[in-house]
Amino acid sequence: LSSVADDRGIERDDTMRIAVGGFQHETNTFSPEKATYPEFVAGGGWPALSRGDGLQRAVEGINLPITGAWDVFRAAGHQVVPLTWAACSPSAHVTDEAFEKICAFIIADLADAGAVDGVFLDLHGAAVIESFEDGEGELLRRVRATVGPDVPIVASLDLHANVTRLMVAASDALFIFRTYPHVDMAETGARAAKHLLGLIAGSAGRAKAFRQLPFLIPLTWGCTMVEPGLSVYAAVPPFEKTAGCSLSFACGFPAADIADCGPSVVAYATTQTEADRMADGMVAVVLAKESAYTGQLYDADTAVRLAMETSAHAVKPVVLADTQDNPGGGGNGDTTWLIASLVRQGAKGAVVGVLFDPASAAACHAAGAGKTVRLSLGAVSGQRGHTPYTADYRIEKLGDGKFTATGPMFLGSRMQLGPMALVETSGVRIIVASRKQQAADQSMFRHVGIEPAQQKIIVVKSSVHFRADFQPIAEQILVVEAPGPMIADPSKLAFKRLRTGVRTSPMGKAMIGGKAANGG
């Protein structure tokens, strides 16, 4: 600890040096495209890879865990030592090259920083690397080897973390989001930062308890704005009865074929008895709600028909969630099933966002607003069975893809989606972007002149995050099971590495030797 003068000019020895960094990736091992180093450098909808002095500028004012933690450290008068922070959109495995480069940056920055009193890491918890099933566990292991056994390491994790024993063992505490959509990212970072300061001061508990639950939670039904997530997460704070304790529940990320895929609970307290009490109590809460983690999915044609019927007399938009093409879960944001259905059924006034197609966006910019162009729209990833929607499109509006998000989830994020275009065919409008981004913020629509609240039908390529900004303006929300790589029902996934005993859907069949029981 270093010395600093307080407001009275008296020397005190309580200023700490806290190292902060992060690595963010949610890996869908069933997705067709891997996460490469250039994608982390660009960042997409997240800040670009940042190191050292540029890190604070990159994340300042954005709803991110590292931002919330940084604000706590600065407000307490401590010195923040920036390391490296990097993120990119969900996809298949992170390449070894990308992981090793980013890890090397973080470890080198930490080694160059000299003595630190604590380490805060902004992690996701569901990163799968080509050579490591447990990306965060491996990163935490390397950080622990660098700082030694006595320096506290605390990390924030996404609600969809697949928590492992290594992650728990290599850190002193893990703090997990409590909302989905993740409107509490900065808040979680702040909670983690306060606990880290408590660990350094000796007031926070060091006893740990870790539990893994025996069933997978479908991504779409883990939302905390509806049941059962609403009541499950409401049960978390009452368990934290004593000072210095913490309880977290992760729904897990079900599209990851790894042994540790699935929900988990982590608890920290001053005694092992208290940590075990919290963890076991929370497990009981979740198991009691297992059968409720289900919901209605609609095929594309049925969803469009129902939306048209409702929108004919509704005063607010009907929202269709194209969940299996969600770029926030490993989808590519490029499928056209819903576009085809909207046109076929004559859903004039419908708008689709955001479709990933750099070539079509470029063609629109080359032609100019007001012109009509022939486009083979979408299906750029080459996934089997997916075809472009070829038609004549009128270019209504162009955008540079640079804007600041305004909704609760992405608040403050400085979007960089590349050239964008709003095109129309047969009365259906499509927002096209040059970079993949989950449609979870109304600003993505407003950037090309669409006011979401004034639309009849809105299609969003998102699973749940859109609800934070769109549910308040929606007459009805329908979750659509159109084809795509982000499979909504994990029991339909071909798991090979998932541990024995885990049910691949709520109340479903358990895994035995890499396969679901009874041939499921």
Side-chain angles (χ1 to χ4, degrees), residues 198-275:
L199 286 170
I200 297 171
S203 59
R206 291 182 175 272
K208 306 175 183 179
F210 173 53
R211 307 285 188 269
Q212 291 178 310
L213 283 96
F215 70 99
L216 301 186
I217 296 176
L219 194 70
T220 302
W221 310 124
C223 178
T224 60
M225 296 178 70
V226 297
E227 293 296 344
L230 188 63
S231 57
V232 165
Y233 278 90
V236 174
F239 280 106
E240 300 173 318
K241 294 180 179 179
T242 59
C245 70
S246 168
L247 176 67
S248 287
F249 165 56
C251 285
F253 186 63
D257 189 14
I258 60 172
D260 289 300
C261 179
S264 61
V265 171
V266 287
Y268 303 92
T270 54
T271 69
Q272 191 62 49
T273 298
E274 181 70 1

Side-chain angles (χ1 to χ4, degrees), residues 316-377:
K316 296 190 291 185
V318 177
V319 178
L320 306 184
D322 193 2
T323 184
Q324 296 197 148
D325 194 32
N326 170 23
N332 293 298
D334 68 343
T335 64
T336 59
W337 304 96
L338 272 167
I339 295 172
S341 185
L342 289 165
V343 173
R344 186 168 56 250
Q345 298 191 56
K348 297 184 185 299
V351 59
V352 178
V354 174
L355 189 82
F356 170 61
D357 188 340
S360 291
C364 290
H365 278 255
K371 298 296 179 66
T372 297
V373 292
R374 187 77 173 172
L375 298 173
S376 291
L377 197 63

Side-chain angles (χ1 to χ4, degrees), residues 396-412:
E396 291 193 2
K397 191 174 178 62
L398 301 172
D400 62 7
K402 298 177 181 179
F403 55 93
T404 300
T406 55
M409 166 70 185
F410 286 116
L411 183 63

